Structure formats: structure tokens, C-alpha cells
Amino acid sequence: MAAGPDALSLFAAIGLSEPKARETLKNEALSALLREAVTQAQGILGPTVDKATGTLLYNVASRLKDQKRLRFLVGCITSRKILTDLQLSAALEYVRSHPLDPIDMADFEHECGVGVVVTPEQIEEAVEAAINKHRAELLSERYRFNMGLLMGEARSSLRWADGKSIKNEVDLQVLHLLGPKTEADLEKKQKAGKAKPAEVERQQKAVEENGGVTLETKSLMEQLRGEALKFHKPGENYKTEGYVITPHTMALMKQHLEITGGQVRTRFPPEPNGILHIGHAKAINFNFGYAKANGGVCFLRYDDTNPEKEEEKYFTAIREMVEWLGYKPHAVTHASDYFDQLYAWAMELIQRGHAYVCHQRVEEIKGHNPPPSPWRDRPVEESLLLFQGMKKGKFEEGEATLRMKLVMEDGKLDPVAYRIKYTPHHRTGDRWCIYPTYDYTHCLCDSVEHITHSLCTKEFQARRSSYFWLCNALGVYCPVQWEYGRLNLLYTVVSKRKIIRLVEAGAVRDWDDPRLFTLTALRRRGFPPEAINNFCARVGVTVAQTTMEPHLLEACVREVLNECAPRAMAVLEPLRVTITNFPTEKALEVLVPNFPADETKGFHKVPFQATIYIEHSDFREVMDKGYKRLAPGQPVGLRHAGYIIAVQNVIKDAGGQVMELEVTCTKSNSVEKPKAFIHWVSDPLVCEVRLYEQLFLHKNPEDPAEVPAGFLSDLNPLGSPLPLHLEGPGCWVSRVPGAQPLSSAALPWLLGEPGAQPLSSAPLPWLLGEPGAQPLSSAPLPWLLGEPGAQPLSSAPLPWLLGEPGAQPLSSAALP
């Protein structure tokens, strides 16, 4: 709209300044509504409109969602029924909550305070009551008291009172009670400094390391409960912006509430064509979490409409992962449960003139600007016969599709509703040769299950209008689709298609390779499910896509393990140390806390003798500036042992490599405290551990700008597992469900107890998880206890090493 003199003068007539009027004209939708409102008002009041009325007209034009109510509300303003912005807010809420005609005028006027007069005496009494209630605090805190509290309480008893009048009365009565402000009143109040808990400090550090991404500190339930997300309440779908209201909406909503009882209903609808990944963990937490936080239920619905890619193992794995994360579906359903109903609705859609059979090939309708279909206007009867022919197998694949007559938000024209696939379905067999698409199936399955909140990732926002259109075109209950941002991690890929390529190329073993970020891989790696849920809560329920560093997920894992995983000392790169003046001939027993941060959780004993092993990296022949560990002339303490060691002699091999240290020890209470304490082992178990580097070299292996040759060219040559000697800090192990915890009584060799026989140092294939190996049961393992005649293990992986559901971690050392 041009900023002509007529438009400017029209808006100036209601009191808008010239800059405000020009700014309004830039918004064509707003200026058109405002022009209509002002024209209507001038037709009733004449060419001059007072500024108060003009402000109300501007506010109604800028805030009204349902434009068909504009004439009604302008009439209420010009007839002096609505006099204040407070009344206008109530009127806007009323018409939003009552979308259908006719409006009950008596109820409307009651809810909007029409005709209600609040006298100065009433305001005076309400303010006086609020001040008397807080009199003691007012006299104590004087003008530092929160006066907003007084105004809020006065307003709560006088809903339609003018806010400015209440404030003036509060100021007057407070001045009368306290007198004028003194110099002490004018001094700025000192803010009490809050000591930040260690947890908050850790989170803030994580934020800094992640380039300023704000991590939520609230629990997931706090983020999802009640009004936190500003979602609609069950049965109030029509209050959502963009929701399409039809003459049948309110009747369908009433029927919906009778079925659900006003309960929140969500669903998690994965395609069973691959294993879930870390991004799905956010979706699971959001869908199941929102229902749980608001007393509702969540369905697990398999979107099994593509039989070519679906396998039974994926169905099983998906449900396992949902339950592993701690959620139980209200019901497990399949899109295929509704194939008959979906077909009947497709026939009805054709009969109503909203769909047609098309013979354009897939290649013709791909891309941003495909040509319109020449069959779009074919007769309804012809499309019905052809669609029945598609169902009976009279066409080849790709020869015919059923398309819906609509334009989607992204400009896509007439999306496909049904296509032909001569592939047996895992549940329905050969009964169907036509299968519905996501665009057709998604909203209708939601409708059948009476979902209240259809939560989708942001890329489905372009399908929201088609979601509403299809339900309304068929006259069925229409849920509301809400979108949230995807969760991605750097240095990995999560696309199912790309993971399959990694498996086929031999870059990873399978979907559960510990270097991947599928949920089965994270479970095998030993990540506790609580840590993954905590990570999703930290990321928060964001609308924008979130891409995080893997170390932030690992930080959540450490937090959980610190609370539940008993610690054990271990050395990965051992350096032999001989204590030449060891105080006894026999080994000493040292008490080591299971949880160093909480010694009330108990201790375990470890041997301490003249020969120990430390990490090779904990010793240097030449000290650098800032180096605090063991070196000639710089002693260190041995953790938990109560001794300090000092280097006397460095033994090397022919190539000059340090092979052994000879040291002396001194009681720690008799010498100056050393700069550092290091971990160590004595009489240790020898075994093989697999350490994994990140799978890719670049942060975004799928980005052609970073990796022009494609993600398969970006594989990290150090990403393959490296065999290492065990016993090091921070390791932990899990076990099979139902198995008894591994204690020092059951496995003396694991804890290095006196007299226990260590395993040989030969490679242990059962630690490597070789393909085809059968998992061990939770029955007693006689070979672990060194029983006579026990047979050695096969190459089966130990389930407790793989972090299976319910497994309790053993120690803090991760065995990938």
C-alpha cells in the first residue's frame, strides 16, 4: 500500500503520529485491517475519533487473529461497551474461545466487564486492605518494599479497575503511611550475592566451551509442565494460531473430549527402517515427557508405510530403546492398523473432489517447480475407478498415484497420498499393493488416536497447513501440530541411509558400533539412559535446531556415573615402579573409597606392595614449567596409599626408552605435601581394553564445504579401536539384567586382591565383541571364579561390558 496522503490522514485521525502511521503502512495486512476498522468507526462516530477510541481500534487491528470478528469488536468499541485495553484483552480472548456464531451477548458482556463501574471509593478500600495486610513489612522495608504486590492484590479484587488509578492510590496511601523518602530510602539496595553450586558452575563452563549455547538447568518435567510451553489445553485446539475452524469443529471437539476425558495425548511415530539415534532421544523425551509431565499418555506408533525398508529387528530395537530410556507406551500401534480406514477415507476424498489419480512419473513431479498434472481435473467417477484399479494391481509401480488437491506451505503442489509398491508388508502380507504416504497418513492416524499434541521436528512445519487441510477436508477431528528443533551432534552422522553406507563400507561393524551415536551404540558403550535423558533436558525444548559437541553428552554421562559407579584405579599405559625401601616384606592392604566424593558409600581393599605400576604419562625425566607429577627431584603422592614416592634411578632399554623406575617411599604425614597425587595399581589384572577416537575428522562430515569428497572420505584413521593394557582411571563396566553385582568376593582378580590369579595377557576375544558371538547369561561364571575344570570363554561379548538395559556399572573405567 502506498503511503499516500489519504492513508496518512486516515490514521492521523485516530491519533497516530506520522512516524507511527508510516510504520503501520509498511505492514500491508495490519494497515488493511486498521483502515477497515477506522472507516467503520467513522461511519458511526463521524470523521473525528478521540485518541482513546483510536488506540483501541489500533490494538484490535494489530492483535485480532480471527478477522471475521473485526466488525463485531469495532461495534463494541464505538458503542462504548469496550472502554479500556483490559476489556479489549478480555474481548479478544472471548472471541478466540468462541469461534462459532452466534455470540452470546449476555455472556460476552459479563466476561468483558461491560457496564461495570469501579468507583474511587472502591479503589481506595481495596488499596487500604492490601496495605493493612502488609503493614509490618512496609514499615520495616519502607520504600524498598515491592509496591507491585500491593497493586496486584488491589487489582485482583477489582478486575476492571483502571491500573493507573490503582497505582496513584497506592502511591498516595504509602506516602501517608511512611512519609517522604529519606536519604536512606534513596540508597541503592545491595544485592545479596548467591553462591553458585558446583553443578551450575559446571554447566556454565560447558556453555562457554560450546560456543555460548545455553544449556537448560531446569529438569525436563519442569520445562514441559503446564503453561511452560504455551501449548493449547486439550479441547482448545481452535485457540492455536493458524488452526482452521469449520462448522463441525466444536462438535468434533466435544466428541474428542468425551473420548479422552480431557487427557493430554501424544505419540512417538518412528519409521521402522533403522535404529534410533541421539536425535530420536530428544523426540522420545519430548513426546513421552510432555505427556508424563501433564498427566497424559503417549502412544508408540510405527509408521510402517514403506515395506521395502522395514525389518522386524528395527521394530524390536525401537521399543527396546524407548523402554531403556525409562518410558512405557500407553499403547503400541502401527499405521498399518488403520489401512482399511485410510483407504475408505481416500475414496471419500476423491468423492468430495479433493483428490485424483495421476499418471505423472516420480521424476516429473520432483523438484521445486514441477509441471501441473494434466489429470488434475479428471472426473470424480474416473478417479474412483482408477484408484480401485490401483488397489487391485492393474497398474505397474510408478504408473499411477493418488494425489491431493492442495498447495503446501513450501510451494509443493498436490502431494501424493497413495503409491503402488509390489512388496509384501511385514504385517499385512500381500493384501495391499498400494501404500499411503506420510503426508496422508500422519494426520489421519493422529486423528484416529485422538492425539492432542502432534509434536514434530521443524522440517515438518511446511506440512502444518496440509495437516489441518486433510482433517477438515474429511470432516474428522483435527489435532494440533507443534514443531520443535532437531538435536544434532558434531563429528558424526545420524542419517539412517548414511549409517547403512558406513556398515556396507566396513567403516563400522553395525548399528551398535560404539563410535556411532545410535542409541544401541551408546548403550553398548555403557552410557546410562539417565545421562542421555539429562542431556536432552540440558539442551532444552528449543524451536531452533541445536548442534552440540559430543563432550557435552559425555559430561552428562560422568555426572551420572559419579553417583552410581564405584571407582577403581586402573593404568592404561603402565610404567613399572619398584619401591626400594618398601616398609614390609608382605603386601599391605589399602582401603580405597568406592565413591571418593562420598565415603559413606563404603570402601574396598587393594594390595600395595614393593612393585606398582603408574601411568607412563605421569613421569617425565625433564620437568616443564607447570608440570606437577613425578620427575627426578619432584616427588608425588600415591592416591589412598598414604605414601609419597621420590625417583632414585631411571632404568632404560637399549633404545633409551624408560622401562622402570626405582623410587623410595615416605609416609605422607612426615613430609611436605606434594604438588600432585597419582593413581597406581599393584598386582593388577591384565586384560585388553578398546579405546575409540571420534569416527570423523571434521565437525560436519556431511557438509560439502568442509568435506568436498563426501563423508566416507572423512573417516578418522585413528577411529579404529586400539588394544591397551587395563587398569586406569575413570573406567566402568555394566552387566546383564538380573545379574548380581560384580564384587570383590566374586571377582578377586578384577580388584587385584592378594592371591588372586590374573588372566593371561593374551588378547581376549570376548572383550572384542566378535561377530556372531552369543551373549553370556547372568548365571554364575565358574571360569571367572577360577573353579577347577572350568572351560575358557568363547569369543562371546560380555553383556555387562556392552551396557545392556538395567545393567549396573561396576567401576568408573569405561571399556568401549
Side-chain angles (χ1 to χ4, degrees):
M1 179 186 295
D6 290 344
L8 286 174
S9 59
L10 184 70
F11 293 166
I14 63 170
L16 290 188
S17 65
E18 184 175 334
K20 183 71 173 177
R22 291 187 182 279
E23 188 67 28
T24 301
L25 285 167
K26 293 178 182 178
N27 185 330
E28 291 188 10
L30 172 58
S31 56
L33 275 181
L34 185 56
R35 178 190 286 273
E36 184 179 342
V38 175
T39 303
Q40 181 186 340
Q42 288 180 330
I44 298 170
L45 302 175
T48 303
V49 177
D50 64 85
K51 188 170 183 179
T53 302
T55 300
L56 290 173
L57 293 174
Y58 182 86
N59 287 342
V60 75
S62 60
R63 292 160 59 188
L64 182 64
K65 302 298 182 187
D66 185 0
Q67 296 180 14
K68 72 179 182 181
R69 298 295 188 193
L70 180 67
R71 180 163 290 275
F72 168 76
L73 291 176
V74 170
C76 292
I77 292 170
T78 54
S79 63
R80 307 299 183 191
K81 289 182 177 180
I82 294 175
L83 295 169
T84 66
D85 192 63
L86 195 64
Q87 288 180 307
L88 178 60
S89 296
L92 289 168
E93 176 59 29
Y94 189 92
V95 297
R96 192 165 72 99
S97 304
H98 299 76
L100 299 182
D101 290 325
I103 286 179
D104 184 334
M105 283 304 299
D107 186 50
F108 171 81
E109 291 181 2
H110 175 265
E111 290 298 317
C112 298
V114 175
V116 176
V117 177
V118 180
T119 65
E121 290 76 19
Q122 288 175 307
I123 293 175
E124 182 181 348
E125 290 173 4
V127 171
E128 187 176 350
I131 286 178
N132 287 336
K133 180 179 176 181
H134 299 282
R135 190 181 189 85
E137 299 99 312
L138 261 168
L139 291 172
S140 172
E141 298 182 32
R142 291 182 58 79
Y143 287 97
R144 290 192 177 93
F145 183 81
N146 179 13
M147 303 302 171
L149 184 62
L150 302 177
M151 290 186 281
E153 291 191 4
R155 168 156 274 178
S156 66
S157 62
L158 297 173
R159 180 182 176 188
W160 305 111
D162 178 60
K164 190 176 290 186
S165 300
I166 289 178
K167 182 181 184 305
N168 291 339
E169 185 63 31
V170 167
D171 291 343
L172 185 65
Q173 292 197 31
V174 168
L175 179 64
H176 180 72
L177 175 66
L178 303 178
K181 289 183 179 180
T182 65
E183 288 186 13
D185 293 326
L186 295 172
E187 290 178 4
K188 285 188 176 180
K189 188 177 180 181
Q190 295 293 326
K191 291 185 178 180
K194 283 188 178 180
K196 293 179 180 176
E199 170 65 17
V200 175
E201 290 179 359
R202 281 199 299 271
Q203 290 174 5
Q204 289 184 341
K205 185 177 179 183
V207 169
E208 293 166 6
E209 291 174 353
N210 199 43
V213 175
T214 302
L215 297 188
E216 290 285 347
T217 55
K218 291 181 180 179
S219 73
L220 186 69
M221 293 300 107
E222 288 174 320
Q223 294 179 57
L224 298 177
R225 192 173 291 120
E227 299 295 323
L229 290 176
K230 308 300 181 186
F231 285 172
H232 69 282
K233 295 178 181 177
E236 295 184 354
N237 303 25
Y238 51 85
K239 290 187 177 182
T240 307
E241 187 173 353
Y243 191 84
V244 180
I245 300 166
T246 71
H248 308 292
T249 295
M250 301 312 289
L252 290 168
M253 211 60 63
K254 182 180 178 181
Q255 183 184 43
H256 160 75
L257 288 173
E258 289 172 355
I259 292 170
T260 65
Q263 186 180 47
V264 167
R265 287 190 173 195
T266 61
R267 82 289 169 272
F268 174 57
E271 296 178 72
N273 60 0
I275 300 295
L276 303 182
H277 54 70
I278 188 67
H280 289 110
K282 179 177 179 179
I284 292 169
N285 272 279
F286 196 9
N287 281 282
F288 283 90
Y290 183 74
K292 182 178 179 180
N294 295 283
V297 296
C298 183
F299 291 72
L300 169 59
R301 185 203 308 144
Y302 295 108
D303 183 18
D304 57 341
T305 58
N306 192 355
E308 293 174 327
K309 298 180 180 180
E310 294 157 4
E311 296 183 41
E312 186 60 37
K313 67 177 181 180
Y314 297 138
F315 287 85
T316 304
I318 288 170
R319 182 165 185 175
E320 279 183 4
M321 289 300 99
V322 169
E323 293 177 348
W324 179 61
L325 289 177
Y327 295 107
K328 184 176 181 181
H330 170 68
V332 178
T333 61
H334 302 73
S336 56
D337 295 339
Y338 313 118
F339 275 0
D340 288 313
Q341 178 63 74
L342 293 173
Y343 176 76
W345 272 335
M347 293 288 287
E348 186 175 343
L349 203 62
I350 297 171
Q351 289 170 336
R352 295 187 179 200
H354 296 312
Y356 62 96
V357 172
C358 175
H359 302 289
Q360 285 179 299
R361 294 281 177 177
V362 174
E363 298 76 22
E364 295 179 68
I365 59 176
K366 272 187 176 180
H368 294 293
N369 295 301
S373 172
W375 293 279
R376 196 174 199 267
D377 297 319
R378 76 188 327 160
V380 167
E381 294 75 15
E382 187 178 325
S383 280
L384 284 172
L385 288 172
L386 290 170
F387 186 54
Q388 290 171 332
M390 287 171 60
K391 181 177 181 289
K392 293 174 182 177
K394 294 183 178 180
F395 297 93
E396 297 296 325
E397 286 191 19
E399 193 177 345
T401 58
L402 182 69
R403 296 176 68 180
M404 298 176 282
K405 292 183 180 180
L406 77 144
V407 179
M408 300 178 73
E409 287 174 75
D410 59 0
K412 184 178 178 182
L413 183 67
D414 294 357
V416 172
Y418 269 87
R419 73 276 201 215
I420 300 168
K421 286 184 180 292
Y422 290 106
T423 303
H425 191 275
H426 74 288
R427 297 185 75 234
T428 61
D430 293 324
R431 185 181 169 208
W432 297 92
C433 64
I434 56 171
Y435 293 97
T437 62
Y438 175 90
D439 287 327
Y440 179 78
T441 308
H442 177 55
C443 60
L444 296 180
C445 287
D446 283 351
S447 178
V448 171
E449 294 174 354
H450 282 272
I451 300 303
T452 58
H453 299 77
S454 180
L455 308 176
C456 307
T457 46
K458 193 72 174 174
E459 64 264 32
F460 293 103
Q461 187 170 6
R463 291 179 163 101
R464 188 194 277 199
S465 59
S466 66
Y467 186 106
F468 293 155
W469 176 89
L470 184 52
C471 290
N472 291 328
L474 289 167
V476 298
Y477 161 71
C478 183
V480 178
Q481 176 176 302
W482 292 96
E483 300 87 16
Y484 60 92
R486 289 172 66 94
L487 169 60
N488 289 331
L489 284 182
L490 299 173
Y491 297 105
T492 192
V493 296
V494 293
S495 159
K496 296 170 185 175
R497 178 175 54 85
K498 290 177 180 175
I499 292 176
I500 289 173
R501 288 182 63 189
L502 287 170
V503 174
E504 291 173 347
V508 296
R509 290 197 187 92
D510 207 339
W511 292 84
D512 64 349
D513 189 294
R515 292 164 292 173
L516 295 173
F517 282 86
T518 60
L519 293 184
T520 51
L522 295 178
R523 181 180 69 175
R524 180 182 174 191
R525 194 167 160 187
F527 281 30
E530 300 88 348
I532 296 172
N533 293 342
N534 292 347
F535 176 64
C536 293
R538 295 275 184 86
V539 171
V541 183
T542 56
V543 176
Q545 177 174 301
T546 308
T547 302
M548 308 296 287
E549 293 273 4
H551 70 79
L552 296 174
L553 172 58
E554 292 160 3
C556 292
V557 173
R558 283 193 295 273
E559 287 176 10
V560 172
L561 294 179
N562 280 339
E563 295 295 324
C564 65
R567 293 289 186 91
M569 292 191 292
V571 170
L572 297 181
E573 295 181 86
L575 175 60
R576 182 185 176 97
V577 176
T578 301
I579 303 173
T580 58
N581 66 334
F582 195 75
T584 64
E585 293 184 4
K586 294 183 178 180
L588 300 176
E589 282 189 345
V590 173
L591 283 177
V592 177
N594 295 327
F595 295 85
D598 184 2
E599 295 188 356
T600 62
K601 292 185 177 181
F603 295 80
H604 60 274
K605 296 177 181 179
V606 298
F608 177 43
Q609 54 194 14
T611 299
I612 63 172
Y613 296 89
I614 66 171
E615 288 284 357
H616 218 292
S617 59
D618 282 342
F619 170 74
R620 287 186 189 176
E621 284 190 88
V622 180
M623 284 189 291
D624 295 330
K625 185 178 180 180
Y627 181 75
K628 296 181 180 180
R629 284 164 287 168
L630 187 60
Q634 180 166 284
V636 294
L638 298 177
R639 292 191 68 189
H640 311 300
Y643 283 89
I644 294 169
I645 59 173
V647 177
Q648 301 300 315
N649 187 28
V650 179
I651 302 172
K652 302 180 181 181
D653 64 9
Q657 294 292 323
V658 177
M659 301 301 294
E660 184 180 350
L661 301 178
E662 290 181 347
V663 303
T664 56
C665 68
T666 311
K667 277 277 192 179
S668 57
N669 57 9
S670 63
V671 294
E672 184 181 349
K673 184 179 178 181
K675 292 182 180 180
F677 286 81
I678 62 173
H679 64 276
W680 54 275
V681 293
S682 182
D683 192 19
L685 161 71
V686 179
C687 65
E688 186 164 307
V689 180
R690 310 188 87 190
L691 299 181
Y692 293 87
E693 293 286 337
Q694 61 201 28
L695 188 56
F696 295 99
L697 295 172
H698 290 84
K699 283 188 174 183
N700 300 289
E702 297 172 275
D703 185 353
E706 282 192 44
V707 188
F711 72 99
L712 285 177
S713 70
D714 195 46
L715 293 171
N716 184 359
L718 300 178
S720 298
L722 302 172
L724 289 176
H725 196 90
L726 180 74
E727 296 255 350
C731 300
W732 52 275
V733 179
S734 302
R735 58 183 177 84
V736 288
Q740 295 304 308
L742 300 174
S743 66
S744 58
L747 302 176
W749 49 266
L750 186 59
L751 301 178
E753 296 191 355
Q757 295 299 312
L759 293 173
S760 73
S761 58
L764 303 177
W766 46 270
L767 275 175
L768 304 181
E770 293 183 1
Q774 297 301 310
L776 290 173
S777 71
S778 58
L781 307 175
W783 54 269
L784 285 177
L785 304 177
E787 293 183 5
Q791 295 300 310
L793 274 178
S794 70
S795 61
L798 298 178
W800 45 267
L801 281 174
L802 304 183
E804 295 196 357
Q808 297 299 314
L810 170 69
S811 69
S812 60
L815 300 179

